[in-house]
Amino acid sequence: MTKKSPFVIVYHRQPYEEAVENGKVVYRENKSPNGIVPALKGFFSTASDAVWVAWKQAPASGKPNFERTVRINASYGEYDVVRLPLSAEQVKAFYHVTSKEALWPILHSFPGKFNYGPVDWKNFREVNRLFAEAACEQAADDALIWVHDYNLWLAPYYIRQIKPKARIAFFHHTPFPAADVFNVLPWREEILRSLLACDIVGFHIPRYAENFASVACSLMGAERAESVPVEGPFSPKGAALSEPTVTTALKHEGRTIAIDAWPIGTNPRVIDNHLSNFEAGTRVSEIRSQIGDRRLLVSVGRVDYVKGTKEMLEAFDRLLARRPELREKVQLFCVCVAPADGMSAYRNAQREVERLVGAINGKYGNLRWNPILLSTRGVPFEELVCYYRAADVCLVTPLRDGLNLVAKEFVGAQNGDAGVLVLSEFAGSAVEFPEAVLVNPYSERRMDAGLDQALNMTEEERRDRLEKMRERVRQFDVDHWASHVRERFDALRASTNKAEAA
Ligand code: GDG
């Protein structure tokens, strides 16, 4: 590519899965569940000459056996995907070990699971540098380079070295923990040095932005340049993740780093489109008639201890023990998708879920009724939304979650029905949905009370709560997020142009 791009997205996964059909390479939607890829693809509808940088597995030595760059022309727009060749060993060390066994537990405030032993930090640094180089090869000198998620934490530092004039943005999809937990990371200064090389650092909610600002000030001597009261739609008072004020800019070594807190939205139009076709209507009726007069509870997510599936199943077990009248009257559909590559960080979590489902079904089930239907395989999205529509209750009870898009998808899929969202106070989306039944998954009593409240709620109250949440899902959808981010990027461009002219 000779022309350099003004807009480069760096996210480790490719936006499509590559497959060979009848001897021809085709690009299909990613099979493994992920809310980030569809949200980012939306940006290509308005950007021209945009590039997406991801990795692709290549042999450890010799030339990669694939084209580095492919042109994608899809409903989302036309753009190049540049694939950085990484060996299986590099991916394992960078992603499966360092990211998932050391960084992930800290981000989600599980210091007890922090596994330092197998970390190869030199490899992590090297892979981040390779991503930075691949992005810079594509980018114009003043391009906007938007890096996603913690596994590329060090990329901004290297990008700044190569392209000092680039505008660098970083978005965290995960929580950002409090200083006491973040500081467990032995590489904390190196990570912060890189994040402070950005022009703008983004988070889902004010709490994470505040945690970041506090770590940057205490460890790196950054100063808060601007703080504002948290207002608008994401400002409930007194919730576990509420913040009264949020830092919007830091000063560090003569530079200003903007901080942004704005949660990703879902795409309710895509959900409406799926649900408005004839097949989906038939499928929803089919699910309802299979369920009969039982109430359907759904839980959807990846296998991951942070998602709290084990604690949710234990609560369901206690519900059946405590309220025998509900036996044969409720049905739980639990989609808990196992990672294709069997990451060791998640192996125990999957075993525990399978064990508990077996134990609960064994304890209460009979020939007519199995209390829990478990799928550890992914369910196609079109099918998933039919379950969301048919469900009476959606259980989203992670111990900790950056945001959680399933909560928004469930609300978006309910229409004229009156489903109840049971939502963990420790999911970022809880600050958007004070009308959900908010629960503390660390407390058995709070979980039990939440389930009882959801199952006992009057139809009027259910409708009332759902309507408010639906309005918010529709207003603050993925397009709203994209236009918010674009505004922030434009402001960045204006301020850097002004600084250069001065
Ligand atoms: C991170 C943060 C943050 C799930 N099972 C299936 C399936 N899914 C889809 C859901 C949803 C997505 O996967 C999962 O959304 P989450 O929000 O829970 O995302 P994470 O993967 O944990 O990702 C998270 C997110 O980034 C965005 O910033 O919200 O907190 O951890 O869209 O529908 N999709 C299909 N079959 C499944 O079985 N098709």
Side-chain angles (χ1 to χ4, degrees), residues 129-179:
R129 191 179 58 77
L130 291 172
F131 266 103
E133 285 173 4
C136 290
E137 261 172 43
Q138 306 300 321
D141 285 346
D142 63 348
L144 195 136
I145 304 178
W146 195 17
V147 185
H148 285 264
D149 243 3
Y150 67 101
N151 40 48
L152 295 176
W153 255 342
L154 302 184
Y157 173 79
Y158 296 111
I159 294 173
R160 185 60 78 209
Q161 306 281 307
I162 308 170
K163 294 232 178 246
K165 286 194 177 156
R167 286 159 303 131
I168 310 173
F170 193 98
F171 190 80
H172 289 85
H173 293 268
T174 60
F176 195 96

Short mmCIF file of all heavy atoms in Angstrom, two decimals, residues 129-179:
data_model
loop_
_atom_site.label_atom_id
_atom_site.label_comp_id
_atom_site.label_asym_id
_atom_site.label_seq_id
_atom_site.Cartn_x
_atom_site.Cartn_y
_atom_site.Cartn_z
N ARG A 129 5.56 -4.27 20.44
CA ARG A 129 6.38 -3.45 19.53
C ARG A 129 6.06 -3.81 18.08
O ARG A 129 5.93 -2.94 17.21
CB ARG A 129 7.87 -3.68 19.83
CG ARG A 129 8.80 -2.71 19.12
CD ARG A 129 10.27 -2.96 19.46
NE ARG A 129 10.71 -4.32 19.12
CZ ARG A 129 10.98 -4.74 17.90
NH1 ARG A 129 10.87 -3.93 16.88
NH2 ARG A 129 11.35 -6.01 17.69
N LEU A 130 5.88 -5.12 17.81
CA LEU A 130 5.57 -5.54 16.43
C LEU A 130 4.22 -4.97 15.99
O LEU A 130 4.05 -4.53 14.85
CB LEU A 130 5.54 -7.07 16.34
CG LEU A 130 6.91 -7.75 16.50
CD1 LEU A 130 6.74 -9.27 16.58
CD2 LEU A 130 7.84 -7.39 15.34
N PHE A 131 3.23 -4.97 16.89
CA PHE A 131 1.93 -4.36 16.57
C PHE A 131 2.11 -2.87 16.26
O PHE A 131 1.52 -2.34 15.32
CB PHE A 131 0.95 -4.52 17.74
CG PHE A 131 0.08 -5.74 17.63
CD1 PHE A 131 0.32 -6.87 18.39
CD2 PHE A 131 -1.00 -5.76 16.75
CE1 PHE A 131 -0.48 -7.99 18.30
CE2 PHE A 131 -1.82 -6.88 16.65
CZ PHE A 131 -1.55 -8.00 17.43
N ALA A 132 2.92 -2.20 17.09
CA ALA A 132 3.13 -0.76 16.89
C ALA A 132 3.77 -0.52 15.52
O ALA A 132 3.34 0.37 14.77
CB ALA A 132 4.01 -0.21 18.00
N GLU A 133 4.76 -1.33 15.18
CA GLU A 133 5.43 -1.14 13.88
C GLU A 133 4.46 -1.39 12.73
O GLU A 133 4.43 -0.66 11.76
CB GLU A 133 6.63 -2.10 13.77
CG GLU A 133 7.81 -1.64 14.60
CD GLU A 133 8.94 -2.67 14.62
OE1 GLU A 133 8.84 -3.71 13.92
OE2 GLU A 133 9.91 -2.42 15.34
N ALA A 134 3.66 -2.46 12.88
CA ALA A 134 2.70 -2.78 11.80
C ALA A 134 1.70 -1.64 11.64
O ALA A 134 1.34 -1.27 10.51
CB ALA A 134 1.97 -4.08 12.14
N ALA A 135 1.26 -1.04 12.74
CA ALA A 135 0.31 0.08 12.65
C ALA A 135 0.98 1.28 11.99
O ALA A 135 0.40 1.93 11.12
CB ALA A 135 -0.19 0.44 14.05
N CYS A 136 2.21 1.57 12.41
CA CYS A 136 2.90 2.76 11.88
C CYS A 136 3.22 2.61 10.39
O CYS A 136 3.24 3.60 9.66
CB CYS A 136 4.17 3.03 12.67
SG CYS A 136 3.79 3.61 14.33
N GLU A 137 3.48 1.39 9.94
CA GLU A 137 3.73 1.18 8.50
C GLU A 137 2.56 1.65 7.67
O GLU A 137 2.70 2.06 6.54
CB GLU A 137 3.91 -0.31 8.23
CG GLU A 137 5.33 -0.76 8.13
CD GLU A 137 5.39 -2.28 8.06
OE1 GLU A 137 4.57 -2.89 7.34
OE2 GLU A 137 6.24 -2.84 8.78
N GLN A 138 1.35 1.52 8.23
CA GLN A 138 0.13 1.86 7.48
C GLN A 138 -0.26 3.32 7.65
O GLN A 138 -1.01 3.86 6.85
CB GLN A 138 -1.06 1.01 8.00
CG GLN A 138 -0.83 -0.46 8.01
CD GLN A 138 -0.54 -0.99 6.61
OE1 GLN A 138 -1.16 -0.55 5.64
NE2 GLN A 138 0.41 -1.90 6.50
N ALA A 139 0.21 3.93 8.73
CA ALA A 139 -0.38 5.21 9.15
C ALA A 139 0.34 6.41 8.55
O ALA A 139 1.57 6.43 8.45
CB ALA A 139 -0.33 5.30 10.67
N ALA A 140 -0.45 7.45 8.20
CA ALA A 140 0.14 8.74 7.83
C ALA A 140 0.78 9.32 9.09
O ALA A 140 0.46 8.90 10.21
CB ALA A 140 -0.96 9.66 7.33
N ASP A 141 1.67 10.30 8.90
CA ASP A 141 2.40 10.83 10.07
C ASP A 141 1.47 11.40 11.14
O ASP A 141 1.74 11.29 12.32
CB ASP A 141 3.40 11.90 9.63
CG ASP A 141 4.61 11.26 8.97
OD1 ASP A 141 4.76 10.03 9.11
OD2 ASP A 141 5.37 11.98 8.31
N ASP A 142 0.36 12.03 10.67
CA ASP A 142 -0.54 12.63 11.66
C ASP A 142 -1.82 11.79 11.82
O ASP A 142 -2.86 12.30 12.20
CB ASP A 142 -0.91 14.05 11.25
CG ASP A 142 -1.67 14.06 9.93
OD1 ASP A 142 -1.69 13.01 9.25
OD2 ASP A 142 -2.25 15.11 9.59
N ALA A 143 -1.71 10.51 11.48
CA ALA A 143 -2.90 9.63 11.53
C ALA A 143 -3.44 9.53 12.95
O ALA A 143 -2.72 9.80 13.93
CB ALA A 143 -2.53 8.24 11.05
N LEU A 144 -4.68 9.09 13.04
CA LEU A 144 -5.22 8.73 14.32
C LEU A 144 -5.10 7.22 14.46
O LEU A 144 -5.63 6.47 13.63
CB LEU A 144 -6.69 9.16 14.42
CG LEU A 144 -7.14 9.12 15.86
CD1 LEU A 144 -7.93 10.36 16.17
CD2 LEU A 144 -7.93 7.91 16.20
N ILE A 145 -4.36 6.79 15.45
CA ILE A 145 -4.15 5.35 15.64
C ILE A 145 -4.86 4.96 16.94
O ILE A 145 -4.55 5.48 18.01
CB ILE A 145 -2.64 5.01 15.71
CG1 ILE A 145 -1.94 5.54 14.45
CG2 ILE A 145 -2.43 3.51 15.88
CD1 ILE A 145 -0.44 5.32 14.42
N TRP A 146 -5.84 4.07 16.78
CA TRP A 146 -6.73 3.75 17.91
C TRP A 146 -6.44 2.32 18.37
O TRP A 146 -6.74 1.36 17.66
CB TRP A 146 -8.18 3.90 17.46
CG TRP A 146 -9.17 3.96 18.56
CD1 TRP A 146 -8.95 4.23 19.87
CD2 TRP A 146 -10.59 3.76 18.42
NE1 TRP A 146 -10.14 4.21 20.57
CE2 TRP A 146 -11.16 3.93 19.70
CE3 TRP A 146 -11.42 3.46 17.35
CZ2 TRP A 146 -12.51 3.80 19.93
CZ3 TRP A 146 -12.78 3.34 17.58
CH2 TRP A 146 -13.32 3.51 18.85
N VAL A 147 -5.84 2.20 19.52
CA VAL A 147 -5.41 0.89 20.03
C VAL A 147 -6.45 0.37 21.03
O VAL A 147 -6.95 1.14 21.85
CB VAL A 147 -4.03 1.02 20.74
CG1 VAL A 147 -3.52 -0.35 21.17
CG2 VAL A 147 -3.02 1.71 19.83
N HIS A 148 -6.74 -0.94 20.95
CA HIS A 148 -7.77 -1.51 21.82
C HIS A 148 -7.25 -2.57 22.76
O HIS A 148 -6.59 -3.52 22.34
CB HIS A 148 -8.90 -2.12 20.97
CG HIS A 148 -9.74 -1.05 20.39
ND1 HIS A 148 -10.91 -0.63 20.96
CD2 HIS A 148 -9.52 -0.24 19.33
CE1 HIS A 148 -11.40 0.38 20.25
NE2 HIS A 148 -10.58 0.64 19.26
N ASP A 149 -7.57 -2.37 23.99
CA ASP A 149 -7.46 -3.34 25.07
C ASP A 149 -6.06 -3.60 25.59
O ASP A 149 -5.04 -3.42 24.92
CB ASP A 149 -8.16 -4.64 24.69
CG ASP A 149 -9.32 -4.89 25.67
OD1 ASP A 149 -9.54 -4.02 26.53
OD2 ASP A 149 -9.98 -5.93 25.57
N TYR A 150 -6.10 -4.11 26.83
CA TYR A 150 -4.93 -4.21 27.68
C TYR A 150 -3.81 -5.06 27.10
O TYR A 150 -2.66 -4.88 27.46
CB TYR A 150 -5.39 -4.80 29.03
CG TYR A 150 -5.86 -6.23 28.86
CD1 TYR A 150 -5.05 -7.29 29.22
CD2 TYR A 150 -7.10 -6.50 28.29
CE1 TYR A 150 -5.46 -8.59 29.02
CE2 TYR A 150 -7.51 -7.80 28.08
CZ TYR A 150 -6.69 -8.83 28.44
OH TYR A 150 -7.09 -10.11 28.21
N ASN A 151 -4.15 -6.03 26.21
CA ASN A 151 -3.03 -6.86 25.72
C ASN A 151 -2.13 -6.07 24.77
O ASN A 151 -1.06 -6.53 24.41
CB ASN A 151 -3.51 -8.18 25.10
CG ASN A 151 -4.75 -8.00 24.29
OD1 ASN A 151 -4.81 -7.10 23.47
ND2 ASN A 151 -5.75 -8.84 24.53
N LEU A 152 -2.55 -4.83 24.42
CA LEU A 152 -1.68 -3.95 23.62
C LEU A 152 -1.30 -2.70 24.43
O LEU A 152 -1.04 -1.63 23.87
CB LEU A 152 -2.38 -3.58 22.31
CG LEU A 152 -2.60 -4.78 21.37
CD1 LEU A 152 -3.37 -4.37 20.13
CD2 LEU A 152 -1.27 -5.42 20.98
N TRP A 153 -1.24 -2.85 25.74
CA TRP A 153 -0.94 -1.73 26.63
C TRP A 153 0.37 -1.03 26.26
O TRP A 153 0.52 0.17 26.46
CB TRP A 153 -0.83 -2.25 28.07
CG TRP A 153 -2.01 -1.91 28.93
CD1 TRP A 153 -2.96 -0.95 28.71
CD2 TRP A 153 -2.35 -2.51 30.19
NE1 TRP A 153 -3.87 -0.92 29.75
CE2 TRP A 153 -3.52 -1.87 30.67
CE3 TRP A 153 -1.78 -3.53 30.97
CZ2 TRP A 153 -4.13 -2.20 31.89
CZ3 TRP A 153 -2.39 -3.87 32.18
CH2 TRP A 153 -3.55 -3.21 32.63
N LEU A 154 1.36 -1.79 25.77
CA LEU A 154 2.66 -1.16 25.53
C LEU A 154 2.78 -0.57 24.13
O LEU A 154 3.76 0.13 23.83
CB LEU A 154 3.80 -2.17 25.76
CG LEU A 154 3.87 -2.80 27.16
CD1 LEU A 154 5.10 -3.70 27.26
CD2 LEU A 154 3.91 -1.73 28.24
N ALA A 155 1.81 -0.85 23.25
CA ALA A 155 1.92 -0.38 21.86
C ALA A 155 2.00 1.16 21.75
O ALA A 155 2.83 1.67 20.98
CB ALA A 155 0.77 -0.93 21.02
N PRO A 156 1.21 1.95 22.52
CA PRO A 156 1.29 3.40 22.35
C PRO A 156 2.71 3.95 22.55
O PRO A 156 3.14 4.86 21.83
CB PRO A 156 0.34 3.94 23.44
CG PRO A 156 -0.65 2.84 23.62
CD PRO A 156 0.13 1.57 23.45
N TYR A 157 3.45 3.38 23.49
CA TYR A 157 4.82 3.88 23.72
C TYR A 157 5.66 3.75 22.45
O TYR A 157 6.34 4.68 22.03
CB TYR A 157 5.46 3.10 24.88
CG TYR A 157 6.92 3.41 25.07
CD1 TYR A 157 7.30 4.58 25.72
CD2 TYR A 157 7.90 2.55 24.57
CE1 TYR A 157 8.64 4.89 25.87
CE2 TYR A 157 9.24 2.86 24.72
CZ TYR A 157 9.61 4.03 25.37
OH TYR A 157 10.94 4.34 25.52
N TYR A 158 5.59 2.56 21.82
CA TYR A 158 6.40 2.34 20.62
C TYR A 158 5.88 3.18 19.45
O TYR A 158 6.65 3.68 18.64
CB TYR A 158 6.43 0.85 20.25
CG TYR A 158 7.10 0.02 21.32
CD1 TYR A 158 6.37 -0.87 22.11
CD2 TYR A 158 8.47 0.15 21.57
CE1 TYR A 158 6.98 -1.61 23.11
CE2 TYR A 158 9.09 -0.58 22.56
CZ TYR A 158 8.34 -1.46 23.33
OH TYR A 158 8.95 -2.19 24.33
N ILE A 159 4.56 3.34 19.36
CA ILE A 159 4.00 4.16 18.27
C ILE A 159 4.51 5.59 18.40
O ILE A 159 4.95 6.21 17.43
CB ILE A 159 2.44 4.13 18.30
CG1 ILE A 159 1.93 2.73 18.00
CG2 ILE A 159 1.86 5.14 17.31
CD1 ILE A 159 0.42 2.54 18.17
N ARG A 160 4.51 6.10 19.62
CA ARG A 160 4.97 7.49 19.85
C ARG A 160 6.43 7.65 19.44
O ARG A 160 6.83 8.68 18.91
CB ARG A 160 4.76 7.84 21.33
CG ARG A 160 5.08 9.23 21.73
CD ARG A 160 4.26 10.31 21.02
NE ARG A 160 2.91 10.47 21.52
CZ ARG A 160 1.89 10.89 20.76
NH1 ARG A 160 2.07 11.18 19.48
NH2 ARG A 160 0.68 11.02 21.26
N GLN A 161 7.25 6.58 19.66
CA GLN A 161 8.66 6.65 19.27
C GLN A 161 8.79 6.75 17.75
O GLN A 161 9.61 7.49 17.24
CB GLN A 161 9.41 5.36 19.69
CG GLN A 161 9.31 4.99 21.14
CD GLN A 161 10.24 5.82 21.98
OE1 GLN A 161 11.43 5.89 21.70
NE2 GLN A 161 9.69 6.48 22.97
N ILE A 162 7.95 5.95 17.05
CA ILE A 162 8.09 5.90 15.59
C ILE A 162 7.40 7.09 14.93
O ILE A 162 7.90 7.64 13.96
CB ILE A 162 7.48 4.57 15.03
CG1 ILE A 162 8.07 3.36 15.76
CG2 ILE A 162 7.73 4.44 13.53
CD1 ILE A 162 7.36 2.04 15.47
N LYS A 163 6.24 7.46 15.43
CA LYS A 163 5.45 8.55 14.80
C LYS A 163 5.11 9.59 15.85
O LYS A 163 3.99 9.60 16.40
CB LYS A 163 4.14 7.99 14.21
CG LYS A 163 4.32 7.05 13.07
CD LYS A 163 3.49 7.46 11.87
CE LYS A 163 3.73 6.54 10.71
NZ LYS A 163 4.38 7.17 9.58
N PRO A 164 6.05 10.49 16.14
CA PRO A 164 5.80 11.44 17.23
C PRO A 164 4.58 12.31 17.00
O PRO A 164 3.98 12.80 17.96
CB PRO A 164 7.08 12.27 17.29
CG PRO A 164 7.96 11.81 16.19
CD PRO A 164 7.38 10.60 15.56
N LYS A 165 4.18 12.51 15.72
CA LYS A 165 3.06 13.42 15.46
C LYS A 165 1.71 12.72 15.39
O LYS A 165 0.68 13.36 15.19
CB LYS A 165 3.29 14.15 14.14
CG LYS A 165 4.33 15.21 14.22
CD LYS A 165 4.24 16.08 13.01
CE LYS A 165 5.24 17.20 13.11
NZ LYS A 165 5.56 17.69 11.78
N ALA A 166 1.73 11.40 15.48
CA ALA A 166 0.45 10.67 15.39
C ALA A 166 -0.43 11.04 16.57
O ALA A 166 0.06 11.42 17.64
CB ALA A 166 0.72 9.18 15.39
N ARG A 167 -1.75 10.97 16.36
CA ARG A 167 -2.66 11.12 17.49
C ARG A 167 -3.02 9.70 17.94
O ARG A 167 -3.48 8.89 17.14
CB ARG A 167 -3.90 11.90 17.08
CG ARG A 167 -3.57 13.40 16.92
CD ARG A 167 -4.54 14.13 16.08
NE ARG A 167 -4.63 13.53 14.77
CZ ARG A 167 -5.76 13.22 14.16
NH1 ARG A 167 -6.91 13.43 14.74
NH2 ARG A 167 -5.76 12.69 12.95
N ILE A 168 -2.73 9.41 19.19
CA ILE A 168 -2.89 8.03 19.66
C ILE A 168 -4.04 7.97 20.66
O ILE A 168 -4.07 8.71 21.64
CB ILE A 168 -1.60 7.50 20.33
CG1 ILE A 168 -0.38 7.76 19.42
CG2 ILE A 168 -1.72 6.02 20.66
CD1 ILE A 168 0.95 7.42 20.08
N ALA A 169 -4.97 7.07 20.38
CA ALA A 169 -6.10 6.86 21.29
C ALA A 169 -6.06 5.41 21.78
O ALA A 169 -5.61 4.51 21.06
CB ALA A 169 -7.41 7.12 20.55
N PHE A 170 -6.51 5.22 23.00
CA PHE A 170 -6.52 3.87 23.57
C PHE A 170 -7.87 3.64 24.24
O PHE A 170 -8.36 4.52 24.94
CB PHE A 170 -5.40 3.73 24.62
CG PHE A 170 -5.14 2.31 25.01
CD1 PHE A 170 -4.08 1.60 24.45
CD2 PHE A 170 -5.96 1.66 25.93
CE1 PHE A 170 -3.86 0.27 24.79
CE2 PHE A 170 -5.74 0.33 26.27
CZ PHE A 170 -4.67 -0.36 25.70
N PHE A 171 -8.48 2.48 23.99
CA PHE A 171 -9.74 2.18 24.69
C PHE A 171 -9.63 0.88 25.49
O PHE A 171 -9.17 -0.14 24.97
CB PHE A 171 -10.92 2.08 23.70
CG PHE A 171 -12.25 2.03 24.42
CD1 PHE A 171 -12.84 3.20 24.89
CD2 PHE A 171 -12.88 0.82 24.66
CE1 PHE A 171 -14.05 3.16 25.59
CE2 PHE A 171 -14.09 0.76 25.36
CZ PHE A 171 -14.67 1.95 25.82
N HIS A 172 -10.06 0.96 26.76
CA HIS A 172 -10.09 -0.23 27.62
C HIS A 172 -11.48 -0.84 27.57
O HIS A 172 -12.45 -0.17 27.92
CB HIS A 172 -9.82 0.16 29.07
CG HIS A 172 -8.41 0.58 29.34
ND1 HIS A 172 -7.96 1.86 29.15
CD2 HIS A 172 -7.34 -0.13 29.79
CE1 HIS A 172 -6.68 1.92 29.47
NE2 HIS A 172 -6.27 0.73 29.87
N HIS A 173 -11.58 -2.11 27.23
CA HIS A 173 -12.88 -2.80 27.25
C HIS A 173 -13.14 -3.42 28.62
O HIS A 173 -14.25 -3.81 28.93
CB HIS A 173 -12.93 -3.86 26.15
CG HIS A 173 -12.92 -3.24 24.79
ND1 HIS A 173 -14.08 -2.94 24.12
CD2 HIS A 173 -11.91 -2.80 24.01
CE1 HIS A 173 -13.78 -2.36 22.96
NE2 HIS A 173 -12.47 -2.27 22.88
N THR A 174 -12.08 -3.53 29.39
CA THR A 174 -12.17 -4.16 30.71
C THR A 174 -12.32 -3.08 31.79
O THR A 174 -12.20 -1.89 31.48
CB THR A 174 -10.84 -4.88 31.00
OG1 THR A 174 -9.82 -3.87 30.97
CG2 THR A 174 -10.54 -5.95 29.99
N PRO A 175 -12.50 -3.49 33.04
CA PRO A 175 -12.39 -2.49 34.11
C PRO A 175 -10.94 -2.01 34.21
O PRO A 175 -10.03 -2.66 33.69
CB PRO A 175 -12.74 -3.27 35.38
CG PRO A 175 -13.33 -4.58 34.93
CD PRO A 175 -12.80 -4.84 33.55
N PHE A 176 -10.72 -0.90 34.89
CA PHE A 176 -9.37 -0.52 35.31
C PHE A 176 -9.43 -0.51 36.83
O PHE A 176 -10.24 0.20 37.42
CB PHE A 176 -8.97 0.85 34.75
CG PHE A 176 -7.49 1.10 34.86
CD1 PHE A 176 -6.66 0.85 33.78
CD2 PHE A 176 -6.93 1.55 36.05
CE1 PHE A 176 -5.28 1.05 33.88
CE2 PHE A 176 -5.55 1.74 36.15
CZ PHE A 176 -4.73 1.50 35.07
N PRO A 177 -8.57 -1.31 37.49
CA PRO A 177 -8.74 -1.51 38.94
C PRO A 177 -8.20 -0.34 39.76
O PRO A 177 -7.47 0.50 39.25
CB PRO A 177 -7.92 -2.77 39.20
CG PRO A 177 -6.84 -2.72 38.18
CD PRO A 177 -7.43 -2.08 36.95
N ALA A 178 -8.53 -0.36 41.02
CA ALA A 178 -8.00 0.64 41.96
C ALA A 178 -6.49 0.45 42.12
O ALA A 178 -5.96 -0.65 41.89
CB ALA A 178 -8.70 0.48 43.31
N ALA A 179 -5.81 1.53 42.55
CA ALA A 179 -4.35 1.50 42.66
C ALA A 179 -3.84 0.31 43.49
O ALA A 179 -2.85 -0.33 43.13
CB ALA A 179 -3.87 2.81 43.27
#
